[in-house]
């Protein structure tokens, strides 16, 4: 019989993940507040590292983890893990891609409606005693064009919900989008410039990489319609924040919904002072359901990996 894996959990995860792993006989060390320095001194001897987005699994950490077999991300984005270096050391990197689909999609729809109907601004004014009903003329989603950049798991689900709200869907992806999905939501498949120039709302769902860093640069952003909104729940570095701020300040676009920032938490509070910008603190996957599902998916994947390694 193989020796049980030693699992170091470095970020807070739903307790179901710890329960499943412990029941399966793994030796689980739950240290959700572990510092980067402590992680480096402790990592040696563990077979598995489990992280969310707080912990950076850099080359230095991987180098010190002589027994590491798997690095597991309880979530989607892998940009806090040096995946290339892990691969070079034969360490597998896994994630829970499927867990956040609903949570992020619903935040996108919520942000679009909030911006289009000026809900946060209306609330904030009323809380100051200002009944400004006459000036709060919003816009409706129905009949508008939604541009989806990155038609993967989340992008596709956003398209389905938006279709149910009677929006028209435009999609762009570097890989071909399935004919079945195009037919399902009546998607117009366009190049990126056309999508940006034609959409009333744009939602970004591509991963952060050297290819997508500042994909939405000053040039692309300036192609947006004056009446259009940009929603980013993907990663901060994908949008050039300075260029976006300038466009918003000069009222060259209608507004933006930002769940992610290039530096988190943002040092610069400039977006928070704008009435047409809705900022949230990276809460895309922060639902009870998504957190539980992510922890469960990762625990089950790890048990499967352990069984595979044991035969
Ligand atoms: P996914 O891998 O299913 O989809 C990503 C899509 O982007 C793919 O179809 C891919 O082909 C496409 N793509 C990649 N590079 C592209 C480019 N240069 N131009 C156009 N398309 C490109 O991923 P997903 O599950 O839909 O998640 C998308 C992203 O959402 C994640 O990478 C993550 O960064 C982010 N995310 C954020 C939160 C949050 O809390 N806000 C939660 C989960 C995921």
């Amino acid at each position: 019989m193989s020796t049980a894996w030693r699992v170091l959990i470095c970020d807070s995860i739903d307790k179901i993940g710890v329960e499943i792993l412990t029941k399966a006989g793994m030796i689980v060390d739950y240290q959700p507040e572990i510092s980067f320095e402590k992680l480096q001194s402790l990592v040696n001897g563990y077979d598995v590292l489990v992280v969310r987005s707080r912990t950076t699994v850099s080359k230095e950490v991987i180098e010190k983890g002589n027994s590491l077999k798997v690095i597991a991300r309880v979530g989607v984005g892998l940009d806090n893990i040096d995946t290339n270096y892990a691969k070079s050391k034969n360490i597998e990197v896994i994630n829970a891609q499927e867990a956040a689909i609903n949570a992020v999609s619903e935040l996108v729809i919520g942000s679009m409606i909030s911006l289009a109907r000026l809900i946060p601004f209306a609330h904030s004014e009323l809380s100051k005693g200002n009944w400004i009903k006459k000036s709060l003329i919003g816009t409706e989603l129905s009949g508008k064009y939604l541009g989806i950049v990155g038609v993967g798991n989340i992008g596709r689900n956003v398209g389905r919900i938006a279709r149910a709200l009677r929006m028209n869907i435009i999609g762009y992806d570097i890989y071909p989008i399935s004919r079945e999905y195009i037919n399902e939501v009546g998607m117009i498949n366009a190049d990126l410039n056309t999508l940006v120039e034609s959409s009333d709302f744009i939602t970004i769902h591509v991963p952060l990489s050297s290819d997508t860093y500042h994909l939405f640069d000053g040039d692309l952003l300036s192609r947006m319609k004056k009446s259009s909104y940009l929603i980013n729940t993907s990663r901060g570095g994908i949008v050039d924040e300075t260029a976006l701020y300038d466009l918003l300040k000069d009222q060259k676009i209608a507004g933006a919904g930002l769940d992610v920032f290039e530096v988190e938490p943002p040092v610069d509070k400039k977006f928070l002072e704008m009435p047409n910008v809705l900022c949230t603190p990276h809460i895309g996957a922060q639902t009870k359901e998504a957190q539980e599902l992510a922890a469960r998916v990762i625990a089950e994947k790890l048990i499967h990996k352990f069984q595979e390694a044991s035969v």
Side-chain angles (χ1 to χ4, degrees):
M1 180 148 161
S2 310
T3 322
W5 273 356
R6 292 189 66 210
V7 180
L8 177 58
I9 302 179
C10 309
D11 291 326
S12 94
I13 68 164
D14 192 281
K15 62 179 184 325
I16 191 77
V18 182
E19 281 169 21
I20 294 173
L21 290 170
T22 310
K23 247 190 211 157
M26 307 239 183
I27 303 157
V28 180
D29 190 356
Y30 188 62
Q31 299 214 27
E33 306 290 335
I34 192 168
S35 68
F36 185 67
E37 292 71 32
K38 185 147 182 233
L39 171 60
Q40 288 194 72
S41 67
L42 207 70
V43 64
N44 195 16
Y46 285 95
D47 302 282
V48 179
L49 279 187
V50 176
V51 300
R52 286 185 60 202
S53 53
R54 187 192 70 96
T55 300
T56 300
V57 187
S58 63
K59 186 176 172 191
E60 294 75 38
V61 173
I62 297 170
E63 246 167 7
K64 294 197 167 76
N66 286 336
S67 322
L68 275 183
K69 296 171 184 66
V70 185
I71 300 167
R73 161 80 162 96
V74 184
V76 183
L78 297 173
D79 39 298
N80 56 324
I81 300 169
D82 191 335
T83 49
N84 287 333
Y85 192 66
K87 207 172 158 194
S88 76
K89 293 275 177 187
N90 280 327
I91 298 167
E92 209 173 334
V93 179
I94 59 170
N95 66 356
Q97 182 123 30
E98 49 282 69
I101 299 174
N102 275 330
V104 179
S105 307
E106 289 181 11
L107 181 68
V108 171
I109 303 293
S111 299
M112 290 202 296
I113 296 175
S114 298
L115 285 163
R117 298 301 301 273
L118 306 110
I119 295 172
F121 180 61
H123 175 85
S124 141
E125 286 302 305
L126 192 51
S127 67
K128 289 183 225 153
N130 300 329
W131 186 265
I132 54 163
K133 173 177 175 170
K134 277 189 185 151
S135 60
L136 292 173
I137 303 290
T139 181
E140 295 177 17
L141 267 50
S142 177
K144 300 293 185 318
Y145 282 82
L146 170 66
I148 302 175
V149 179
V151 190
N153 286 308
I154 298 172
R156 282 197 299 274
N157 198 49
V158 169
R160 288 190 179 105
I161 306 174
R163 190 68 193 148
L165 293 169
R166 294 199 287 270
M167 297 188 84
N168 302 300
I169 316 296
I170 311 177
Y172 165 75
D173 200 288
I174 38 162
Y175 293 112
I177 303 165
S178 82
R179 180 55 47 199
E180 203 187 350
Y181 181 74
I182 288 177
N183 292 340
E184 182 190 337
V185 298
M187 175 182 272
I188 302 163
N189 195 179
D191 61 73
L192 187 54
N193 285 347
T194 308
L195 178 150
V196 169
E197 285 160 6
S198 323
S199 299
D200 301 298
F201 293 83
I202 297 169
T203 183
I204 307 174
H205 300 291
V206 297
L208 178 63
S209 68
S210 51
D211 290 338
T212 58
Y213 180 75
H214 283 193
L215 177 68
F216 276 76
D217 60 7
D219 176 53
L220 189 63
L221 287 166
S222 67
R223 291 172 185 269
M224 286 175 67
K225 297 201 283 192
K226 198 167 184 279
S227 57
S228 64
Y229 296 85
L230 181 75
I231 312 292
N232 188 13
T233 57
S234 194
R235 281 292 179 270
I238 295 163
V239 176
D240 178 343
E241 289 178 357
T242 309
L244 176 65
Y245 177 75
D246 288 344
L247 284 178
L248 286 162
K249 181 172 56 69
D250 298 339
Q251 296 180 342
K252 290 193 169 149
I253 63 169
L258 305 173
D259 186 47
V260 286
F261 303 87
E262 195 151 349
V263 177
E264 294 183 357
V267 199
D268 193 341
K269 306 274 181 286
K270 59 181 185 265
F271 288 119
L272 292 166
E273 286 146 17
M274 300 182 129
N276 54 345
V277 181
L278 174 61
C279 295
T280 45
H282 202 146
I283 56 167
Q286 292 289 87
T287 66
K288 215 173 152 293
E289 294 85 351
Q291 290 308 312
E292 192 187 312
L293 184 58
R296 188 185 287 278
V297 165
I298 286 300
E300 282 163 4
K301 281 187 182 177
L302 284 174
I303 292 167
H304 185 68
K305 296 275 162 218
F306 175 69
Q307 286 164 348
E308 268 180 354
S310 307
V311 287

